Protein backbone atom coordinates (compact mmCIF):
# COMPACT_ATOMS: atom_id res chain seq x y z
CA UNK A 1 0.00 0.00 0.00
CA UNK A 2 1.20 3.47 -0.84
CA UNK A 3 -0.22 6.64 0.75
CA UNK A 4 0.67 9.86 -1.06
CA UNK A 5 -0.02 13.31 0.36
CA UNK A 6 -0.80 16.46 -1.60
CA UNK A 7 -1.64 14.88 -4.94
CA UNK A 8 -4.13 17.76 -5.14
CA UNK A 9 -4.13 20.99 -3.17
CA UNK A 10 -7.03 21.88 -0.88
CA UNK A 11 -8.10 24.56 -3.36
CA UNK A 12 -8.13 22.05 -6.23
CA UNK A 13 -10.26 19.67 -4.17
CA UNK A 14 -12.73 22.44 -3.33
CA UNK A 15 -13.02 23.44 -6.99
CA UNK A 16 -13.73 19.88 -8.05
CA UNK A 17 -16.32 19.47 -5.32
CA UNK A 18 -18.10 22.66 -6.40
CA UNK A 19 -18.19 21.39 -9.98
CA UNK A 20 -19.55 17.93 -9.23
CA UNK A 21 -21.81 18.28 -6.20
CA UNK A 22 -24.88 19.29 -8.19
CA UNK A 23 -24.41 17.23 -11.36
CA UNK A 24 -26.56 14.28 -12.39
CA UNK A 25 -24.92 11.34 -10.62
CA UNK A 26 -25.60 7.76 -11.74
CA UNK A 27 -25.81 4.61 -9.65
CA UNK A 28 -22.38 3.07 -9.19
CA UNK A 29 -21.78 0.29 -11.69
CA UNK A 30 -22.06 -3.22 -10.31
CA UNK A 31 -23.41 -6.61 -11.30
CA UNK A 32 -24.51 -7.08 -7.67
CA UNK A 33 -27.49 -5.62 -5.82
CA UNK A 34 -27.48 -2.49 -3.67
CA UNK A 35 -27.15 -4.45 -0.46
CA UNK A 36 -23.57 -5.13 -1.58
CA UNK A 37 -22.67 -1.87 -3.34
CA UNK A 38 -24.63 1.33 -2.99
CA UNK A 39 -23.04 4.55 -4.20
CA UNK A 40 -23.15 7.05 -7.06
CA UNK A 41 -20.60 7.79 -9.79
CA UNK A 42 -19.91 10.62 -12.20
CA UNK A 43 -17.41 11.26 -15.00
CA UNK A 44 -16.01 14.77 -15.45
CA UNK A 45 -13.65 14.76 -18.44
CA UNK A 46 -11.68 17.92 -17.65
CA UNK A 47 -11.10 17.06 -14.01
CA UNK A 48 -10.30 13.45 -14.84
CA UNK A 49 -7.57 14.48 -17.28
CA UNK A 50 -6.19 16.88 -14.67
CA UNK A 51 -6.07 14.11 -12.05
CA UNK A 52 -4.18 11.83 -14.45
CA UNK A 53 -1.57 14.54 -14.99
CA UNK A 54 -1.18 15.20 -11.25
CA UNK A 55 -0.87 11.51 -10.43
CA UNK A 56 1.79 10.96 -13.08
CA UNK A 57 3.73 14.02 -11.88
CA UNK A 58 3.73 13.03 -8.21
CA UNK A 59 7.31 12.04 -7.29
CA UNK A 60 6.44 9.30 -4.81
CA UNK A 61 3.97 7.63 -7.17
CA UNK A 62 6.54 7.86 -9.96
CA UNK A 63 9.25 6.26 -7.82
CA UNK A 64 7.24 3.48 -6.20
CA UNK A 65 4.21 2.58 -8.32
CA UNK A 66 5.87 2.41 -11.76
CA UNK A 67 2.64 3.29 -13.57
CA UNK A 68 2.39 2.07 -17.14
CA UNK A 69 -1.29 2.62 -17.98
CA UNK A 70 -4.07 4.28 -16.01
CA UNK A 71 -7.83 4.13 -16.45
CA UNK A 72 -9.92 7.27 -16.88
CA UNK A 73 -10.66 8.48 -13.32
CA UNK A 74 -14.22 8.92 -12.14
CA UNK A 75 -15.83 10.49 -9.12
CA UNK A 76 -17.73 8.39 -6.60
CA UNK A 77 -20.02 9.49 -3.80
CA UNK A 78 -21.28 7.77 -0.67
CA UNK A 79 -24.14 9.42 1.22
CA UNK A 80 -25.62 8.45 4.58
CA UNK A 81 -26.36 4.72 4.68
CA UNK A 82 -24.35 3.86 1.57
CA UNK A 83 -21.46 1.39 1.52
CA UNK A 84 -19.49 -1.10 -0.56
CA UNK A 85 -19.16 -4.55 1.04
CA UNK A 86 -16.06 -6.75 0.92
CA UNK A 87 -14.86 -7.45 -2.61
CA UNK A 88 -11.83 -7.75 -4.88
CA UNK A 89 -11.54 -5.43 -7.87
CA UNK A 90 -11.91 -7.03 -11.30
CA UNK A 91 -8.62 -7.99 -12.93
CA UNK A 92 -9.31 -5.90 -16.05
CA UNK A 93 -10.51 -2.30 -16.40
CA UNK A 94 -10.72 -0.44 -19.72
CA UNK A 95 -8.54 -3.10 -21.31
CA UNK A 96 -5.66 -2.91 -18.82
CA UNK A 97 -4.59 -5.32 -16.09
CA UNK A 98 -5.37 -3.85 -12.66
CA UNK A 99 -2.25 -3.93 -10.50
CA UNK A 100 -3.11 -0.80 -8.49
CA UNK A 101 -6.46 0.50 -7.27
CA UNK A 102 -6.48 4.20 -6.40
CA UNK A 103 -8.68 6.38 -4.21
CA UNK A 104 -8.07 10.14 -4.12
CA UNK A 105 -10.02 11.73 -1.27
CA UNK A 106 -11.76 15.06 -1.98
CA UNK A 107 -13.83 15.58 1.18
CA UNK A 108 -12.11 16.15 4.52
CA UNK A 109 -12.39 13.39 7.16
CA UNK A 110 -14.44 15.61 9.51
CA UNK A 111 -17.09 16.20 6.82
CA UNK A 112 -18.48 12.68 7.14
CA UNK A 113 -18.68 9.79 9.59
CA UNK A 114 -17.81 6.26 8.51
CA UNK A 115 -16.77 5.78 4.90
CA UNK A 116 -13.36 4.28 5.73
CA UNK A 117 -11.59 2.17 3.16
CA UNK A 118 -11.20 -1.12 5.03
CA UNK A 119 -8.67 -3.90 4.61
CA UNK A 120 -8.15 -6.90 6.87
CA UNK A 121 -5.90 -5.04 9.31
CA UNK A 122 -6.09 -1.43 8.17
CA UNK A 123 -8.56 1.45 8.02
CA UNK A 124 -7.84 4.30 5.61
CA UNK A 125 -9.48 7.73 5.77
CA UNK A 126 -7.26 10.48 4.42
CA UNK A 127 -7.27 14.29 4.24
CA UNK A 128 -8.57 15.92 1.08
CA UNK A 129 -5.96 15.81 -1.67
CA UNK A 130 -4.29 12.62 -0.43
CA UNK A 131 -4.38 9.35 -2.37
CA UNK A 132 -4.05 5.71 -1.40
CA UNK A 133 -2.79 3.15 -3.91
CA UNK A 134 -3.27 -0.50 -2.98
CA UNK A 135 -2.89 -3.82 -4.74
CA UNK A 136 -6.05 -4.57 -6.71
CA UNK A 137 -5.79 -8.18 -5.56
CA UNK A 138 -6.59 -7.16 -1.96
CA UNK A 139 -10.00 -7.81 -0.39
CA UNK A 140 -11.39 -4.45 0.73
CA UNK A 141 -14.60 -2.54 1.42
CA UNK A 142 -15.99 0.92 2.14
CA UNK A 143 -17.71 1.09 5.53
CA UNK A 144 -21.21 2.60 5.70
CA UNK A 145 -21.35 6.39 5.82
CA UNK A 146 -23.36 7.26 8.93
CA UNK A 147 -23.51 11.02 8.35
CA UNK A 148 -22.35 13.52 5.77
CA UNK A 149 -21.07 12.78 2.30
CA UNK A 150 -17.85 11.14 1.09
CA UNK A 151 -16.65 12.13 -2.39
CA UNK A 152 -13.48 10.74 -3.94
CA UNK A 153 -11.86 10.03 -7.28
CA UNK A 154 -11.17 6.40 -8.17
CA UNK A 155 -9.06 4.81 -10.89
CA UNK A 156 -6.99 1.73 -11.65
CA UNK A 157 -3.52 1.33 -13.07
CA UNK A 158 -1.23 -1.21 -14.61
CA UNK A 159 2.37 -1.18 -13.44
CA UNK A 160 5.53 -1.81 -15.42
CA UNK A 161 6.37 -4.20 -12.56
CA UNK A 162 3.76 -6.96 -12.55
CA UNK A 163 4.70 -8.69 -9.28
CA UNK A 164 3.62 -6.92 -6.07
CA UNK A 165 6.61 -8.19 -4.09
CA UNK A 166 8.99 -6.90 -6.75
CA UNK A 167 7.27 -3.50 -6.58
CA UNK A 168 7.72 -3.47 -2.80
CA UNK A 169 11.44 -4.26 -3.09
CA UNK A 170 11.96 -1.50 -5.66
CA UNK A 171 9.95 0.93 -3.56
CA UNK A 172 12.26 0.38 -0.57
CA UNK A 173 15.29 0.89 -2.77
CA UNK A 174 13.76 4.13 -4.06
CA UNK A 175 13.33 5.35 -0.47
CA UNK A 176 17.05 4.85 0.24
CA UNK A 177 18.07 6.51 -3.02
CA UNK A 178 15.96 9.55 -2.13
CA UNK A 179 17.80 10.18 1.15
CA UNK A 180 20.36 13.02 1.35
CA UNK A 181 23.91 12.00 0.55
CA UNK A 182 25.35 13.68 3.64
CA UNK A 183 24.65 15.95 6.60
CA UNK A 184 26.15 19.21 7.77
CA UNK A 185 28.59 17.25 9.93
CA UNK A 186 29.70 14.81 7.19
CA UNK A 187 33.33 14.94 6.18
CA UNK A 188 34.30 15.16 2.49
CA UNK A 189 35.55 11.58 2.72
CA UNK A 190 32.23 10.37 4.15
CA UNK A 191 30.33 12.17 1.41
CA UNK A 192 32.48 10.59 -1.31
CA UNK A 193 31.99 7.17 0.25
CA UNK A 194 28.24 7.74 0.39
CA UNK A 195 28.21 8.82 -3.26
CA UNK A 196 29.89 5.57 -4.27
CA UNK A 197 27.36 3.59 -2.23
CA UNK A 198 24.53 5.41 -4.02
CA UNK A 199 26.07 4.61 -7.41
CA UNK A 200 26.15 0.92 -6.48
CA UNK A 201 22.60 1.05 -5.16
CA UNK A 202 21.45 2.84 -8.31
CA UNK A 203 23.08 0.05 -10.32
CA UNK A 204 20.99 -2.53 -8.44
CA UNK A 205 17.78 -0.47 -8.64
CA UNK A 206 17.91 0.33 -12.35
CA UNK A 207 18.98 -3.12 -13.43
CA UNK A 208 16.22 -4.74 -11.39
CA UNK A 209 13.83 -2.37 -13.15
CA UNK A 210 15.19 -3.57 -16.50
CA UNK A 211 14.92 -7.19 -15.43
CA UNK A 212 11.41 -7.02 -13.97
CA UNK A 213 9.75 -4.44 -16.22
CA UNK A 214 6.86 -5.61 -18.36
CA UNK A 215 6.77 -3.61 -21.59
Amino acid sequence: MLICKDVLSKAECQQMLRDVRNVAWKDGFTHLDKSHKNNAEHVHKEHAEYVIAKVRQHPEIFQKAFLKHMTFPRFNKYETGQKYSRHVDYFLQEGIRTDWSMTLFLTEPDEYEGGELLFDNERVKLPAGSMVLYESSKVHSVSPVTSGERIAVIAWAQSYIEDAQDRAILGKLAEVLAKPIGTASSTPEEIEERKEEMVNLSFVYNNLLRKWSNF
Side-chain angles (χ1 to χ4, degrees):
M1 182 182 296
L2 179 60
I3 293 177
C4 300
K5 299 177 181 179
D6 302 322
V7 176
L8 295 179
S9 69
K10 302 296 185 184
E12 289 168 332
C13 291
Q14 288 300 315
Q15 182 61 58
M16 289 186 182
L17 288 171
R18 283 193 293 270
D19 290 346
V20 302
R21 272 210 159 105
N22 296 317
V23 300
W25 292 78
K26 297 181 179 179
D27 284 345
F29 172 79
T30 182
H31 62 284
L32 302 168
D33 61 39
K34 286 193 174 184
S35 66
H36 184 83
K37 178 186 180 184
N38 185 11
N39 69 357
E41 295 183 357
H42 174 68
V43 174
H44 189 293
K45 184 175 183 296
E46 181 181 349
H47 287 328
E49 290 173 345
Y50 187 77
V51 167
I52 290 173
K54 296 291 282 189
V55 168
R56 289 196 170 277
Q57 292 167 6
H58 193 279
E60 193 170 9
I61 297 173
F62 176 79
Q63 292 169 357
K64 296 181 180 180
F66 314 105
L67 298 191
K68 181 179 182 180
H69 301 300
M70 184 174 166
T71 64
F72 202 68
R74 59 180 182 259
F75 291 82
N76 71 2
K77 177 173 67 171
Y78 291 83
E79 296 179 316
T80 301
Q82 294 186 317
K83 65 172 185 175
Y84 196 168
S85 298
R86 282 166 56 85
H87 65 284
V88 177
D89 289 344
Y90 193 57
F91 83 102
L92 199 68
Q93 294 282 352
E94 298 178 15
I96 70 170
R97 184 187 68 239
T98 54
D99 297 322
W100 290 111
S101 299
M102 301 183 281
T103 299
L104 174 58
F105 291 80
L106 295 181
T107 42
E108 295 288 1
D110 60 1
E111 294 182 52
Y112 60 98
E113 297 291 334
E116 296 96 343
L117 190 57
L118 302 179
F119 303 91
D120 288 337
N121 299 310
E122 295 179 89
R123 306 170 73 90
V124 179
K125 187 175 183 179
L126 301 178
S130 294
M131 170 179 271
V132 58
L133 294 85
Y134 55 94
E135 292 82 5
S136 299
S137 58
K138 281 191 173 187
V139 176
H140 59 285
S141 62
V142 177
S143 68
V145 171
T146 56
S147 68
E149 180 180 72
R150 173 198 192 268
I151 298 179
V153 178
I154 58 170
W156 292 266
Q158 181 177 341
S159 175
Y160 281 109
I161 310 300
E162 183 173 352
D163 185 83
Q165 186 175 19
D166 293 345
R167 290 197 297 270
I169 291 169
L170 289 165
K172 289 297 183 183
L173 288 172
E175 286 180 12
V176 178
L177 283 167
K179 290 182 178 179
I181 288 180
T183 66
S185 61
S186 297
T187 66
E189 291 78 13
E190 289 172 336
I191 290 175
E192 287 304 314
E193 183 179 352
R194 176 62 174 157
K195 284 181 179 178
E196 188 60 28
E197 290 175 353
M198 295 295 278
V199 169
N200 290 331
L201 186 58
S202 178
F203 171 88
V204 174
Y205 176 75
N206 284 287
N207 283 300
L208 284 177
L209 277 169
R210 290 186 179 93
K211 182 179 178 63
W212 291 340
S213 292
N214 177 7
F215 288 93

